[in-house]
Amino acid sequence: MAGRARARHVPLLSAAIVVEAIWLPRRLFLSKRPMMSSLSEGTAAKWETVLAETNAADVALARAEWQPTVFSDRPRRVALLELEPRWQLQNLRLSFLRNHAVEPTVAILRPFLAYAGLAADVSLSAYDDSLSNPPARVADVHVVWLDASRYTSVERHDAALALGTRLGELRGMLEGPMLLVESPPEIPGAGSLNAVLQEAATRLPDVHLFPYASVIRSLGVDSIETRPAAMGTQVAGEAAMRAAQHLGLGWIPAMVRPRLKAVVTDLDNTLIGGVLGEDGARDVVTEGGYAQIRERLLQLHREGVLLALVTKNDPVDVARLFAQRAELSELGRAFAVIEASWRSKAEGVQAAAQRLHIDVDSLLVIDDNPGEVAAMAGALRDPWFVVAREPELTTRALALHPGLVAVRHDVLGSKRAADLVAAERRRAELPEAADAPDYLRSLQMVAHLSLNAAGDRARASELSRKTNQFNTTLRRFNETDVEGYIAGAGRCAVSIRLRDRFSDSGMIGVLFARRDGDLAVVDEIAVSCRALGRSIEGVLLDAALSRIVIALDCARLVIPFTAGPRNEPARTWLTAVADARDDGSYEYRRRRGDGSAASLELHWEDDGARRQTA
């Protein structure tokens, strides 16, 4: 049975021929297209749509061709250097502070970063044990990579103490997140160095620890360079390759972009071996590499990534599969959405995204059929795709893919699945409620607001970076930026938490403000979509804005707005509660009560004594 299932896997090359047959007429059509200026507006728009869909499909398939190379467990340098991206790259600045040769790793970063859609301008410091001369003050990522063996045994204790102090100084002078590379335990002095790095990553804003030791653990002795004096480093060639793979695909992208919110997977020959409708629930393959895929998906679920299943199968057959195969039951429960139908995959993925309340560009979609991937890429707006070949490669893709690395525990993500269930229960109850205000009161909503809470730094940055719909300026503040509002003179930050009888949503909103003359300027308001739909965002924001005016000792409050592709909900709220100014910002006017405050109990956490209940 396993042989039958595996035989159905179509090699990408032959499948790509089928895809070419689908897309070639469209390409020929495009190659003969007239000048846009000679077409009517409507016809030109159709041409542009066809062109965009074709380009998106080409990019998805081009990336699929890269996947066996970049996700390999033993990437080959020659194969990597032959890869040339056929998609646009975002430029970023990388700064390396080091005391040994990192060039072998830097030299092979390019293809891994390119898969993630990035191109790096790299600056290297001189070999400098004291990190006294950073190569750049401003960078998108500052990587600190030290060789512990360069400090003598007598120097190590004093060097560790000095390094902890120096990292704090660097955090104060460098703009951009810092990534500290831990040392493998085989290197002399690694223990004391790693303790300092771990403490700095815990204590300092936007400082993170790259787990180099675990990345190279499977290499064993091959990870240590046998000629360190000649090579200028303890990092062997295989270890440099593995470090470049994990840095370029996972960790560096995680420093500059929000994490993906959901993984959407196909079923046949992707999550299971075989075709459910032909083989039946009892005969599909679930062991071996498919068990590894399940475990990785469950790990992502535990980290807060939402899971969805989109499959062209009978819903009854899918339900029977998860009921009859005990090894699949845990994963079946972990799926927040199951879309089993005969409609197109693009329609299924779009429906799943809507049910998850997230944008399609926050998804990673896994499917074994390149033709389906091409069609989805043409119809949807910028999701990521993995073409499932052998399950072992799919598992590695789920471990390494850009957007899936969590540099910190995803606090917001861990609340998301429970909030989805709670939202469904609220929606189910609302039509049965005789009186909407009474229903809102029955939710027993309690909000806790905090002013300048140092412990909220990481979560506030997550909200700023991930919120797209109710976000006034899309500034995407990192942890260092947030720290500046929490601790800086003439600045403040307000964080908002919310719970009701269905769920504890945790932190759902944050506001960042500063004093500018006699004005309080709110640089960003970000409210998670998990909080919307309960008619209380106006009450919460009014309480927060009123406190900001007091904290900054200002009589008036101004809220700038920057339009983005999806933040119309923020603009709608602003136009209802504030007056437009000539410079494009809005001046807030104190809200008049509309009765919605009666459904909410509100507390300020910083003084404990204050309580507001309407």
Side-chain angles (χ1 to χ4, degrees):
M1 187 61 243
R4 268 173 59 203
R6 291 193 185 94
R8 290 193 181 89
H9 274 292
V10 183
L12 181 61
L13 183 60
S14 60
I17 296 173
V18 176
V19 175
E20 278 294 310
I22 297 171
W23 289 91
L24 183 58
R26 183 169 283 197
R27 287 204 189 94
L28 290 173
F29 172 67
L30 289 167
S31 68
K32 301 174 184 289
R33 68 186 189 276
M35 293 295 291
M36 292 296 178
S37 58
S38 67
L39 300 176
S40 69
E41 184 176 342
T43 304
K46 290 178 182 178
W47 276 101
E48 292 292 356
T49 299
V50 170
L51 180 60
E53 290 176 358
T54 305
N55 288 344
D58 287 344
V59 167
L61 293 177
R63 271 201 168 99
E65 292 172 3
W66 282 41
Q67 288 165 10
T69 302
V70 297
F71 294 134
S72 171
D73 60 342
R74 290 273 177 158
R76 294 172 47 245
R77 182 179 296 270
V78 172
L80 286 165
L81 294 178
E82 290 176 349
L83 297 175
E84 289 295 333
R86 285 180 272 165
W87 50 86
Q88 288 187 332
L89 303 181
Q90 172 191 343
N91 292 321
L92 78 160
R93 297 158 296 178
L94 286 181
S95 166
F96 279 81
L97 294 82
R98 47 64 179 274
N99 67 353
H100 65 111
V102 300
E103 285 84 351
T105 299
V106 171
I108 203 63
L109 263 178
R110 182 193 63 83
F112 297 117
L113 286 171
Y115 181 86
L118 301 171
D121 178 13
V122 179
S123 301
L124 301 177
S125 75
Y127 290 6
D128 183 1
D129 293 337
S130 63
L131 305 178
S132 59
N133 191 22
R137 190 182 69 83
V138 179
D140 295 289
V141 184
H142 300 274
V143 181
V144 178
W145 196 344
L146 295 173
D147 178 357
S149 69
R150 288 176 59 87
Y151 305 99
T152 69
S153 57
V154 176
E155 293 175 334
R156 281 172 196 150
H157 176 72
D158 291 341
L161 293 176
L163 178 61
T165 301
R166 182 56 181 159
L167 289 172
E169 293 170 349
L170 288 171
R171 178 64 291 171
M173 65 184 288
L174 300 179
E175 293 186 19
M178 295 172 62
L179 186 60
L180 314 180
V181 180
E182 72 173 359
S183 185
E186 297 83 1
I187 302 296
S192 56
L193 173 63
N194 288 342
V196 173
L197 298 179
Q198 179 64 61
E199 189 275 336
T202 303
R203 171 175 56 91
L204 299 172
D206 231 11
V207 175
H208 310 277
L209 189 65
F210 174 59
Y212 176 65
S214 62
V215 164
I216 64 169
R217 185 173 295 130
S218 63
L219 297 177
V221 294
D222 292 338
S223 66
I224 307 300
E225 174 57 55
T226 57
R227 300 170 299 152
M231 302 303 295
T233 182
Q234 297 273 358
V235 180
E238 282 294 329
M241 176 68 75
R242 190 71 61 86
Q245 184 183 42
H246 283 254
L247 285 168
L249 291 173
W251 283 81
I252 291 172
M255 297 289 103
V256 297
R257 292 176 179 159
R259 196 181 190 197
L260 294 175
K261 295 179 180 178
V263 173
V264 178
T265 180
D266 180 35
L267 183 62
D268 297 334
N269 287 318
T270 301
L271 196 58
I272 58 173
V275 178
L276 178 61
E278 297 178 11
D279 300 322
R282 296 192 181 280
D283 289 331
V284 295
V285 179
T286 61
E287 68 270 13
Y290 295 106
Q292 296 174 15
I293 292 174
R294 283 199 308 279
E295 182 48 44
R296 178 57 187 156
L297 286 171
L298 287 169
Q299 178 60 37
L300 289 169
H301 170 67
R302 290 189 285 269
E303 292 175 2
V305 176
L306 295 171
L307 303 181
L309 178 67
V310 175
T311 176
K312 288 184 176 179
N313 271 294
D314 189 301
V316 174
D317 290 344
V318 174
R320 185 181 297 119
L321 172 69
F322 288 111
Q324 291 183 357
R325 300 297 293 264
E327 67 273 25
L328 298 179
S329 60
E330 184 180 3
L331 183 60
R333 293 190 299 271
F335 282 120
V337 169
I338 295 179
E339 285 282 338
S341 69
W342 299 108
R343 59 181 168 177
S344 75
K345 281 288 183 64
E347 291 173 318
V349 170
Q350 187 69 61
Q354 290 172 351
R355 290 177 61 186
L356 295 171
H357 303 287
I358 59 179
D359 299 309
V360 173
D361 60 4
S362 295
L363 303 178
L364 171 64
V365 181
I366 306 174
D367 197 293
D368 70 306
N369 187 330
E372 293 274 27
V373 168
M376 285 188 283
L380 302 172
R381 184 171 61 187
D382 296 332
W384 290 85
F385 293 98
V386 165
V387 174
R389 298 172 178 83
E390 64 271 17
E392 292 77 14
L393 184 63
T394 302
T395 301
R396 287 197 296 276
L398 285 168
L400 291 166
H401 199 281
L404 291 183
V405 167
V407 295
R408 293 196 194 278
H409 173 57
D410 188 353
V411 178
L412 300 178
S414 63
K415 301 278 188 182
R416 199 175 292 123
D419 268 353
L420 282 171
V421 175
E424 293 290 342
R425 293 173 66 187
R426 292 187 201 101
R427 278 192 288 271
E429 283 194 6
L430 182 56
E432 301 174 4
D435 182 79
D438 284 346
Y439 169 69
L440 291 174
R441 280 190 290 271
S442 77
L443 292 178
Q444 301 168 21
M445 292 179 284
V446 180
H448 293 264
L449 288 78
S450 300
L451 180 70
N452 297 334
D456 289 344
R457 183 182 67 208
R459 291 189 289 277
S461 176
E462 280 186 67
L463 267 174
S464 175
R465 295 176 66 196
K466 292 185 175 184
T467 303
N468 294 312
Q469 296 180 38
F470 204 113
N471 189 316
T472 52
T473 54
L474 306 169
R475 293 282 295 274
R476 309 304 191 199
F477 289 130
N478 60 36
E479 290 184 32
T480 307
D481 299 325
V482 173
E483 181 72 11
Y485 284 96
I486 291 174
R491 293 176 171 238
C492 68
V494 174
S495 50
I496 306 171
R497 287 174 171 78
L498 181 65
R499 61 179 170 84
D500 66 16
R501 62 185 172 91
F502 289 116
S503 69
D504 182 350
S505 299
M507 187 189 295
I508 52 85
V510 64
L511 299 85
F512 304 101
R514 57 185 166 82
R515 185 173 57 242
D516 184 2
D518 65 341
L519 292 177
V521 179
V522 183
D523 287 326
E524 185 177 69
I525 302 174
V527 179
S528 170
C529 60
R530 296 180 294 117
L532 304 179
R534 282 174 268 184
S535 304
I536 55 166
E537 50 267 25
V539 179
L540 292 173
L541 293 177
D542 183 66
L545 293 169
S546 298
R547 187 64 182 275
I548 286 171
V549 168
I550 296 170
L552 297 180
D553 192 21
C554 295
R556 299 158 59 207
L557 187 142
V558 169
I559 306 172
F561 180 78
T562 301
R566 295 184 290 278
N567 66 342
E568 188 59 30
R571 186 202 292 271
T572 300
W573 168 80
L574 257 182
T575 55
V577 301
D579 299 318
R581 289 160 44 101
D582 292 340
D583 62 1
S585 65
Y586 293 79
E587 183 164 348
Y588 186 71
R589 54 181 186 270
R590 183 64 193 263
R591 185 177 170 279
R592 293 188 180 91
D594 59 4
S596 56
S599 61
L600 177 68
E601 184 177 307
L602 187 148
H603 301 265
W604 279 98
E605 296 245 318
D606 52 332
D607 60 17
R610 181 182 304 188
R611 170 173 169 170
Q612 175 184 328
T613 307

